[in-house]
Amino acid sequence: MNKIATQSAKILYIEDDPASRRLVQRVLDNKGYQVVVAADGLEGISMAREHHPNLILMDINLPSMDGREITTRLRSLPNFSNTPIVALTANHSAGNRELALAAGCTGFLTKPIDVTNFPGQVNAYLEGMSDAISIDEKNEHLQRHAQNLVTRLENKIHELESANRRLRELDRLKSDFIIMVSHELRTPLTLISGYAHLLDEQVKQSDDMLPAEMVVGVAEGLNLGVVRMRDVVNEIIKVARIASGTLDLALGPVRLSELVQDVYEEYQEVVEKRNLNVQIGDLEKLPVVQGDGAQLKSAIYHIVSNAIKYTPDGGSIFIVGRAVGDTVDLIIQDTGIGIPDSEHRRIFDQFYTLGSIDHHSTSKSAFQGGGLGLGLAIVKGIIEAHNGRVWVESERRDPAQFPGSTFHILLPLEQMNKPANL
Ligand code: ADP
């Protein structure tokens, strides 16, 4: 093997730990080597191809592909069949050296490096030294190496398959979401365009002023349509803010009793119309929490709205609270259709709605009127931004027996640190 003048030798060091990278780089730089570094295996392979190093120092425990796998891959490339590849590892366990040599490494050095001897050791490998391994040992370890590779490949395939399933599911949810959003926006748009058309016709047909009650009726209709559209757009914007971690919280003292009362008043008419029995506990006694009142109200609003939507006419909703240590647990319980165990986590995902979108309706209050599947994702985002927790307890889903659902919102009294996802 040709001797390479130390001054011109180029060394590639593949290592994910920045401190080790810096140390080795400094030690070898001082001796006049040109050192290039890569932080992971795939980057290492492309840097090897680009820089044609005279020697490669290879960390073994790397994320994604490990050092042995990269070595085997490099050995299969035409330019790297003879390049010295020296394993550099903190793992001293038995068989590790043989495994690295069987995978194609020329030598094996352990970390932490011995700063004084290290340049000499590297130089020896550059000058053609290679660690010895018997044929039998090599065969035995080659087999282990192959088995490790196949096991890793199998695990990787499982991982990729499940990631692929998740992506497909998300893709389906997003497609459903687009259909639902179009539907949600089209309904108020039809309303607005109907009233605008009516107004236009009336103005053109009559020379006199339009009767006041008609103008009021048209204005109310237009307003209703605009409010509905605004609500849909706001919901989408809020969920996008939560997803990108840019939900701003304006912290201040918050009385949960007042928020619950405000939300209840918004629904009072629906509650009466659908003959629901809403009972609110003695929330005034709850301690004041530090939080963003408007955001927390919106979280409570979504949960109460669901309790109303998924409880049949004549059913009951109970809203109670209790102080638990330095937290408050707000509990919203309904006697509705319930939620199966398997969905208790997923209902808090974006776009997730149980059941088919064919049952989707734009009503916010009708029994089982579907929504955009964003409500609980918004709730989770808001509560977690307050360093709190939200979860559901429900025995099963049964639209005939109505086992009911119980949602808990657990909030810390104080916000010690910066809110969690901001
Ligand atoms: P949606 O807009 O569909 O209501 P949410 O994110 O608010 O979206 O809720 C997700 C799903 O969780 C709903 O589609 C519904 O199936 C289920 N769900 C939420 N709250 C309740 C409840 N109180 N009772 C039964 N099912 C519920």
Side-chain angles (χ1 to χ4, degrees), residues 306 309-310 334 338-339 347 352-354 371-373 375-376 405 407:
N306 281 342
K309 259 188 340 192
Y310 298 104
D334 63 54
I339 302 165
I347 54 168
Y352 191 77
T353 53
L354 264 167
L372 287 175
L376 291 179
S405 307
F407 281 82

Side-chain angles (χ1 to χ4, degrees), residues 45-82:
I45 293 173
S46 63
M47 287 193 64
R49 284 179 150 139
E50 185 187 337
H51 292 277
H52 304 289
N54 303 105
L55 180 142
I56 298 171
L57 286 170
M58 181 73 73
D59 178 30
I60 294 296
N61 281 330
L62 287 166
S64 61
M65 277 176 92
D66 73 22
R68 289 182 287 264
E69 291 160 356
I70 301 157
T71 303
T72 304
R73 174 70 185 124
L74 284 170
R75 289 293 182 224
S76 73
L77 301 173
N79 291 333
F80 298 97
S81 48
N82 292 319

Side-chain angles (χ1 to χ4, degrees), residues 364-407:
K364 276 186 174 294
S365 50
F367 178 48
Q368 298 208 57
L372 287 175
L374 296 181
L376 291 179
I378 291 175
V379 172
K380 186 165 179 265
I382 292 173
I383 301 306
E384 288 184 353
H386 282 83
N387 299 304
R389 239 165 26 90
V390 57
W391 72 96
V392 67
E393 287 160 6
S394 178
E395 206 182 286
R396 64 186 197 285
R397 187 176 192 81
D398 187 341
Q401 304 273 329
F402 306 113
S405 307
T406 305
F407 281 82

Side-chain angles (χ1 to χ4, degrees), residues 1 33 55 84 86 118-130:
M1 181 162 291
Y33 294 102
L55 180 142
V86 181
F118 185 65
Q121 293 167 318
V122 168
N123 198 45
Y125 287 116
L126 267 170
E127 290 186 349
M129 186 178 93
S130 63

Side-chain angles (χ1 to χ4, degrees), residues 30 47 55 106 136 152 207 221 232 236 277 301 316 408 418:
N30 277 344
M47 287 193 64
L55 180 142
T106 320
D136 285 350
R152 290 242 308 138
D207 297 332
V232 174
I236 296 168
N277 162 35
Y301 176 89
S316 302
H408 289 257
K418 216 166 152 255

